[in-house]
Amino acid sequence: MTLETPAPVAKPHKVYIVQFKRKYDPKFPDRVLSIYKVGYTSHTDVLDRFKVREDDPAAIMRHFDYIKVLASEWCANIEEAVALESHIIQTIARKTSSERFHNFWEELQLNGITETRKWNYTETSYVFQILKEWKQNKKLLGINELIDVKSKY
């Protein structure tokens, strides 16, 4: 009798949209910088994705005083999460005629955030719609369906 190594168990992942805000400058308390990030994590609580060491000067929590998970959806495994995130990023890039997804950069590379965009209500509504459809269908739209429903996004 031989013992077989069990197949690895697929770990569920969440795809999320998070909003970050901070004041531009203390001299102008009404001006607020607002950005969003789409990503995936294996953490149950998406905010755990952004927690880093207290002594880290690039810790995102030190640079944004408002961090809110706006929506998240579970995927069965990392492959599904990567595919869903890619679908969202490609949709935003296509809708905005952007070569790249990100349109916001920090002087200091912050831990936990890359691929961020300046807050845009229309863009984030696409993200919410895609996550809603994912929740309902648990599948990505194939290329044929994507062509048929372009006007929906």
Side-chain angles (χ1 to χ4, degrees):
M1 180 175 187
T2 61
L3 293 175
E4 292 185 28
T5 305
V9 176
K11 187 172 186 176
H13 280 67
K14 276 186 173 180
V15 174
Y16 60 81
I17 178 171
V18 175
Q19 183 180 29
F20 302 92
K21 290 183 185 179
R22 72 170 179 233
K23 289 185 171 48
Y24 267 114
D25 187 325
K27 295 175 192 170
F28 305 102
D30 294 338
R31 293 191 65 203
V32 175
L33 169 67
S34 184
I35 62 173
Y36 74 95
K37 174 183 176 31
V38 173
Y40 61 89
T41 183
S42 62
H43 293 289
T44 301
D45 181 350
V46 173
L47 289 178
D48 287 345
R49 159 79 175 78
F50 301 102
K51 291 181 181 169
V52 292
R53 292 188 339 254
E54 292 276 334
D55 62 339
D56 184 351
I60 191 165
M61 303 280 191
R62 293 181 184 271
H63 298 271
F64 288 90
D65 52 2
Y66 177 93
I67 302 173
K68 183 175 182 180
V69 179
L70 300 176
S72 66
E73 288 299 332
W74 282 107
C75 296
N77 52 48
I78 192 167
E79 291 82 11
E80 280 185 4
V82 168
L84 180 55
E85 179 198 41
S86 294
H87 179 65
I88 292 168
I89 287 171
Q90 290 169 7
T91 299
I92 299 297
R94 185 181 75 243
K95 289 296 184 183
T96 59
S97 301
S98 302
E99 203 173 295
R100 296 181 172 155
F101 176 76
H102 57 285
N103 68 359
F104 174 78
W105 294 265
E106 283 283 315
E107 286 182 38
L108 173 65
Q109 174 96 27
L110 300 179
N111 290 336
I113 66 165
T114 56
E115 301 286 321
T116 55
R117 288 187 65 83
K118 294 174 188 169
W119 181 262
N120 179 295
Y121 180 79
T122 302
E123 291 177 16
T124 56
S125 68
Y126 300 146
V127 177
F128 294 134
Q129 182 63 35
I130 292 168
L131 291 175
K132 180 181 174 185
E133 288 180 2
W134 174 258
K135 183 177 184 175
Q136 292 171 345
N137 302 319
K138 289 295 181 197
K139 65 180 181 179
L140 292 176
L141 298 175
I143 189 65
N144 293 333
E145 293 88 356
L146 191 62
I147 291 168
D148 293 339
V149 297
K150 270 186 180 178
S151 62
K152 287 175 66 176
Y153 297 112

